Structure formats: structure tokens, C-alpha cells
Amino acid sequence: MTNYVEVTLIRWIWAFIDRPLERFDRAAAFWTTVTDSRLSTRRGSDDEFATLLPRSGHSSLKLQGVRGPGGAHLDLDVNDIPAAIDEARGLGATVVTPHSDWAVMRSPGGQLFCLTPWEGATSPPPLVEHSDATSSRLDQVCLDVAPAGYEVEKAFWTALTGWELHASARPEFDLLKPPPGLPIRILLQRLGNAGAVSAHVDLACSDIEAVRSWHEYCGARFVGRWPHWIVMTDPTGGTYCLTARDPQTGRLRDGARSDADPPVPRS
């Protein structure tokens, strides 16, 4: 089999925020505000797609209106779409919807993702700087996986990306850390209950409580607090997390080990 990393290198990665189509405008207003971006022209047969355009750099965020509650998914821009599809299928993925130059895929655990052509993006968007001198960045997609399928899903995403797998101080988390220059990390979370794989986005925050207050002012709601993260819902009801990580480096600011920043590569 041809080496995936050499032939179908991931050149860019997109985090898609998937929200109910009937609440698209509410989602767009919130997410453009908290990511300091503007919305592109909507596209698609139902005007269901839009890109969140940053002040500078290349975008790594898109919004999609979906039928159902939504969540998040990844688009991987690669060099060679047919080779990437073949490799993903060999690793256990299935093709959901083929297109002429891209494909909707499903991971072994059921998480949708897309393989898409690279269009030249190389420069990650800047931090979101707040008026109180704090900052944040949407830099992570967390895949929430039931216990029975966790090891299979972890092996799949590790092989598909070719990225370093880092073990966490907490047994329910593993991190796939991208090479320098790619804007989105992949965190895998082992859930405590059965169910289909789902996903949500995470933001790194220089001051987690300050960012929480800002998001609440913009219409989000607080759900709960854990050691290094806060669970929120946006104005459409979609779940996401604020994490106590440095938005510039992705690491906890005090250097401690955490679920969201495991430091030791696992072979």
C-alpha cells in the first residue's frame, strides 16, 4: 500500500460547526462574533454552507446548516483525493457521498468527515484579542467516542492523519497534535456510556472565566465546569468547550499536564 503521509499529506484542516439549518443565522451571528470573523456568501443548494473569514491569515472554520441537532466535523485538505479515499477505506472508513473532486466519509465509529482538495491555505488565522487584554482561539475538535469503539477510532484517526498521538494524564483523553502550521488539533475523548461517535469544538482561552463572561454576553449559556475546561452551549443549543490553554501554544499556561494538552508522544 502506498504510504498515506507521503502521497496524501494533509495540507490544511477545517473545523466545521454544524448547527440546525433553521437556526443558521443565530449560529452565524454568535460564531462570527466570538471568533472575530465575518461570514462569507452562503452557498449550497439550501444555502447551508458558509466560511468564517478571519481578519488576516487563512480561514480554518466553516459553518454548516444541517437537518438535526448538529455538532462538528472535520474537513481534511489533501494532495491526492483518490489515494486518500483508498487509504481511508483501507483503514475502515466508508464513502458516504462521492463527488467529482471530494468525498464525504464516515469513520469506523460513525463520525462524518470530508476529504477535500487543498486550495493553498498555509497561514493560520490570528488570535481573537478581547478588550480586556485576554485572548482565545478555536483550535480543537473533540471526538466523543463510546468505550467499546474507542481504541478502533483512535487507531483510525492516528493512521489517517499520520500525526503524533499523545497520551493524557487523564485516561479518557488522547491528543493528535498536527505539524506546525496546521490550525486545528484533534482530541479524542472516551465517554462513559454507549452511543454513536459525535464531535464538538473547543476554544483555548488565556482567561477561561473572562472568555466565559464574554460568550455569555453574546448569548451562550454555561453548562458545567471541570478541572481545565467549561462546557457551554451556544444560542442554538450546540455544545462546545472553553479550555484553560494558552491560545498561542495550545498548552496549559502553568505547564501542568491535562486532558487537553498531554505532553508525551505514544508510539
Side-chain angles (χ1 to χ4, degrees):
M1 180 179 294
T2 304
N3 185 277
Y4 176 85
V5 176
E6 292 179 359
V7 175
T8 54
L9 178 70
I10 296 173
R11 305 301 299 271
W12 197 248
I13 181 169
W14 298 84
F16 263 78
I17 303 167
D18 301 325
R19 294 296 184 260
L21 185 58
E22 66 272 17
R23 302 175 190 170
F24 189 99
D25 290 339
R26 293 180 65 189
F30 175 79
W31 286 104
T32 53
T33 299
V34 299
T35 60
D36 190 19
S37 60
R38 59 185 176 85
L39 201 68
S40 72
T41 301
R42 292 174 63 170
R43 55 195 181 274
S45 58
D46 292 321
D47 287 338
E48 71 271 32
F49 295 107
T51 303
L52 278 61
L53 302 171
R55 290 179 287 107
S56 61
H58 293 117
S59 177
S60 58
L61 305 176
K62 292 184 180 181
L63 183 64
Q64 180 174 356
V66 298
R67 308 295 181 185
H73 75 271
L74 294 161
D75 273 18
L76 307 177
D77 286 2
V78 297
N79 286 329
D80 187 327
I81 297 293
I85 292 172
D86 287 346
E87 183 68 17
R89 292 179 63 190
L91 294 170
T94 55
V95 178
V96 177
T97 309
H99 297 272
S100 59
D101 62 348
W102 64 287
V104 180
M105 309 288 293
R106 192 185 306 275
S107 75
Q111 175 62 38
L112 294 176
F113 66 99
C114 296
L115 295 171
T116 47
W118 181 53
E119 297 182 348
T122 57
S123 178
L127 299 180
V128 176
E129 303 284 356
H130 306 291
S131 59
D132 59 359
T134 62
S135 61
S136 60
R137 186 198 299 272
L138 197 164
D139 68 342
Q140 188 165 268
V141 170
C142 181
L143 305 178
D144 303 311
V145 187
Y150 187 82
E151 293 301 324
V152 171
E153 199 73 0
K154 180 173 69 175
F156 169 78
W157 288 101
T158 302
L160 183 70
T161 61
W163 297 352
E164 285 186 350
L165 179 68
H166 293 250
S168 172
R170 298 175 64 100
E172 69 268 35
F173 291 98
D174 288 281
L175 173 70
L176 283 168
K177 186 176 180 181
L182 291 183
I184 302 294
R185 309 164 10 140
I186 301 174
L187 185 70
L188 294 105
Q189 177 176 205
R190 187 196 313 264
L191 300 178
N193 53 282
V197 178
S198 60
H200 66 268
V201 296
D202 292 342
L203 291 85
C205 308
S206 65
D207 184 323
I208 195 169
E209 285 296 339
V211 176
R212 170 192 167 182
S213 295
W214 167 240
H215 281 225
E216 289 177 328
Y217 175 79
C218 294
R221 297 185 63 182
F222 171 80
V223 175
R225 169 179 278 282
W226 279 260
H228 301 295
W229 72 95
I230 292 174
V231 179
M232 306 286 290
T233 57
D234 69 16
T236 73
T239 299
Y240 67 101
C241 292
L242 304 175
T243 69
R245 296 179 291 111
D246 188 322
Q248 190 67 52
T249 66
R251 298 182 61 85
L252 279 181
R253 291 177 303 282
D254 61 6
R257 296 182 69 187
S258 83
D259 52 277
D261 186 41
V264 182
R266 174 180 292 170
S267 59

PDB file of all heavy atoms in Angstrom, residues 79-92:
ATOM      1  N   ASN A  79      -3.486  16.210  -0.807  1.00  0.00           N
ATOM      2  CA  ASN A  79      -2.868  16.347  -2.127  1.00  0.00           C
ATOM      3  C   ASN A  79      -3.559  15.500  -3.186  1.00  0.00           C
ATOM      4  O   ASN A  79      -3.652  15.890  -4.341  1.00  0.00           O
ATOM      5  CB  ASN A  79      -1.392  15.929  -2.056  1.00  0.00           C
ATOM      6  CG  ASN A  79      -0.529  16.948  -1.362  1.00  0.00           C
ATOM      7  OD1 ASN A  79      -0.802  18.133  -1.426  1.00  0.00           O
ATOM      8  ND2 ASN A  79       0.514  16.479  -0.697  1.00  0.00           N
ATOM      9  N   ASP A  80      -4.022  14.320  -2.795  1.00  0.00           N
ATOM     10  CA  ASP A  80      -4.492  13.332  -3.766  1.00  0.00           C
ATOM     11  C   ASP A  80      -5.782  12.718  -3.237  1.00  0.00           C
ATOM     12  O   ASP A  80      -5.752  11.839  -2.365  1.00  0.00           O
ATOM     13  CB  ASP A  80      -3.403  12.270  -3.956  1.00  0.00           C
ATOM     14  CG  ASP A  80      -3.727  11.279  -5.070  1.00  0.00           C
ATOM     15  OD1 ASP A  80      -4.911  10.970  -5.269  1.00  0.00           O
ATOM     16  OD2 ASP A  80      -2.767  10.810  -5.731  1.00  0.00           O
ATOM     17  N   ILE A  81      -6.922  13.176  -3.737  1.00  0.00           N
ATOM     18  CA  ILE A  81      -8.218  12.717  -3.227  1.00  0.00           C
ATOM     19  C   ILE A  81      -8.420  11.215  -3.449  1.00  0.00           C
ATOM     20  O   ILE A  81      -8.759  10.491  -2.506  1.00  0.00           O
ATOM     21  CB  ILE A  81      -9.374  13.517  -3.857  1.00  0.00           C
ATOM     22  CG1 ILE A  81      -9.274  15.000  -3.479  1.00  0.00           C
ATOM     23  CG2 ILE A  81     -10.720  12.950  -3.418  1.00  0.00           C
ATOM     24  CD1 ILE A  81      -9.485  15.292  -2.016  1.00  0.00           C
ATOM     25  N   PRO A  82      -8.235  10.683  -4.664  1.00  0.00           N
ATOM     26  CA  PRO A  82      -8.457   9.231  -4.836  1.00  0.00           C
ATOM     27  C   PRO A  82      -7.579   8.384  -3.923  1.00  0.00           C
ATOM     28  O   PRO A  82      -8.041   7.390  -3.357  1.00  0.00           O
ATOM     29  CB  PRO A  82      -8.126   9.011  -6.315  1.00  0.00           C
ATOM     30  CG  PRO A  82      -8.374  10.337  -6.964  1.00  0.00           C
ATOM     31  CD  PRO A  82      -7.945  11.350  -5.949  1.00  0.00           C
ATOM     32  N   ALA A  83      -6.306   8.762  -3.785  1.00  0.00           N
ATOM     33  CA  ALA A  83      -5.421   7.991  -2.910  1.00  0.00           C
ATOM     34  C   ALA A  83      -5.862   8.091  -1.459  1.00  0.00           C
ATOM     35  O   ALA A  83      -5.803   7.110  -0.703  1.00  0.00           O
ATOM     36  CB  ALA A  83      -3.981   8.471  -3.062  1.00  0.00           C
ATOM     37  N   ALA A  84      -6.326   9.283  -1.048  1.00  0.00           N
ATOM     38  CA  ALA A  84      -6.787   9.461   0.328  1.00  0.00           C
ATOM     39  C   ALA A  84      -8.037   8.635   0.598  1.00  0.00           C
ATOM     40  O   ALA A  84      -8.186   8.035   1.669  1.00  0.00           O
ATOM     41  CB  ALA A  84      -7.053  10.940   0.606  1.00  0.00           C
ATOM     42  N   ILE A  85      -8.951   8.592  -0.364  1.00  0.00           N
ATOM     43  CA  ILE A  85     -10.159   7.774  -0.205  1.00  0.00           C
ATOM     44  C   ILE A  85      -9.787   6.305  -0.071  1.00  0.00           C
ATOM     45  O   ILE A  85     -10.300   5.598   0.809  1.00  0.00           O
ATOM     46  CB  ILE A  85     -11.117   7.997  -1.395  1.00  0.00           C
ATOM     47  CG1 ILE A  85     -11.684   9.421  -1.363  1.00  0.00           C
ATOM     48  CG2 ILE A  85     -12.244   6.972  -1.370  1.00  0.00           C
ATOM     49  CD1 ILE A  85     -12.483   9.786  -2.596  1.00  0.00           C
ATOM     50  N   ASP A  86      -8.905   5.842  -0.934  1.00  0.00           N
ATOM     51  CA  ASP A  86      -8.489   4.441  -0.876  1.00  0.00           C
ATOM     52  C   ASP A  86      -7.842   4.117   0.470  1.00  0.00           C
ATOM     53  O   ASP A  86      -8.101   3.058   1.067  1.00  0.00           O
ATOM     54  CB  ASP A  86      -7.514   4.126  -2.009  1.00  0.00           C
ATOM     55  CG  ASP A  86      -8.189   4.060  -3.370  1.00  0.00           C
ATOM     56  OD1 ASP A  86      -9.439   3.991  -3.410  1.00  0.00           O
ATOM     57  OD2 ASP A  86      -7.469   4.089  -4.386  1.00  0.00           O
ATOM     58  N   GLU A  87      -6.993   5.008   0.937  1.00  0.00           N
ATOM     59  CA  GLU A  87      -6.313   4.764   2.205  1.00  0.00           C
ATOM     60  C   GLU A  87      -7.309   4.772   3.363  1.00  0.00           C
ATOM     61  O   GLU A  87      -7.263   3.915   4.249  1.00  0.00           O
ATOM     62  CB  GLU A  87      -5.221   5.805   2.433  1.00  0.00           C
ATOM     63  CG  GLU A  87      -4.396   5.593   3.687  1.00  0.00           C
ATOM     64  CD  GLU A  87      -3.518   4.345   3.625  1.00  0.00           C
ATOM     65  OE1 GLU A  87      -3.304   3.817   2.530  1.00  0.00           O
ATOM     66  OE2 GLU A  87      -3.058   3.902   4.690  1.00  0.00           O
ATOM     67  N   ALA A  88      -8.235   5.752   3.366  1.00  0.00           N
ATOM     68  CA  ALA A  88      -9.234   5.822   4.434  1.00  0.00           C
ATOM     69  C   ALA A  88     -10.099   4.565   4.451  1.00  0.00           C
ATOM     70  O   ALA A  88     -10.411   4.023   5.520  1.00  0.00           O
ATOM     71  CB  ALA A  88     -10.096   7.075   4.260  1.00  0.00           C
ATOM     72  N   ARG A  89     -10.471   4.093   3.273  1.00  0.00           N
ATOM     73  CA  ARG A  89     -11.270   2.860   3.204  1.00  0.00           C
ATOM     74  C   ARG A  89     -10.474   1.668   3.721  1.00  0.00           C
ATOM     75  O   ARG A  89     -11.011   0.787   4.408  1.00  0.00           O
ATOM     76  CB  ARG A  89     -11.732   2.619   1.775  1.00  0.00           C
ATOM     77  CG  ARG A  89     -12.755   3.632   1.277  1.00  0.00           C
ATOM     78  CD  ARG A  89     -13.156   3.359  -0.155  1.00  0.00           C
ATOM     79  NE  ARG A  89     -13.821   2.069  -0.286  1.00  0.00           N
ATOM     80  CZ  ARG A  89     -14.111   1.496  -1.445  1.00  0.00           C
ATOM     81  NH1 ARG A  89     -13.778   2.095  -2.587  1.00  0.00           N
ATOM     82  NH2 ARG A  89     -14.726   0.340  -1.480  1.00  0.00           N
ATOM     83  N   GLY A  90      -9.202   1.631   3.412  1.00  0.00           N
ATOM     84  CA  GLY A  90      -8.359   0.555   3.905  1.00  0.00           C
ATOM     85  C   GLY A  90      -8.213   0.557   5.410  1.00  0.00           C
ATOM     86  O   GLY A  90      -7.958  -0.481   6.022  1.00  0.00           O
ATOM     87  N   LEU A  91      -8.393   1.731   6.012  1.00  0.00           N
ATOM     88  CA  LEU A  91      -8.303   1.852   7.468  1.00  0.00           C
ATOM     89  C   LEU A  91      -9.646   1.628   8.159  1.00  0.00           C
ATOM     90  O   LEU A  91      -9.724   1.688   9.386  1.00  0.00           O
ATOM     91  CB  LEU A  91      -7.759   3.238   7.831  1.00  0.00           C
ATOM     92  CG  LEU A  91      -6.325   3.525   7.403  1.00  0.00           C
ATOM     93  CD1 LEU A  91      -5.993   5.002   7.590  1.00  0.00           C
ATOM     94  CD2 LEU A  91      -5.339   2.647   8.184  1.00  0.00           C
ATOM     95  N   GLY A  92     -10.708   1.413   7.375  1.00  0.00           N
ATOM     96  CA  GLY A  92     -12.006   1.112   7.969  1.00  0.00           C
ATOM     97  C   GLY A  92     -13.084   2.134   7.738  1.00  0.00           C
ATOM     98  O   GLY A  92     -14.219   1.957   8.196  1.00  0.00           O
TER      99      GLY A  92
END
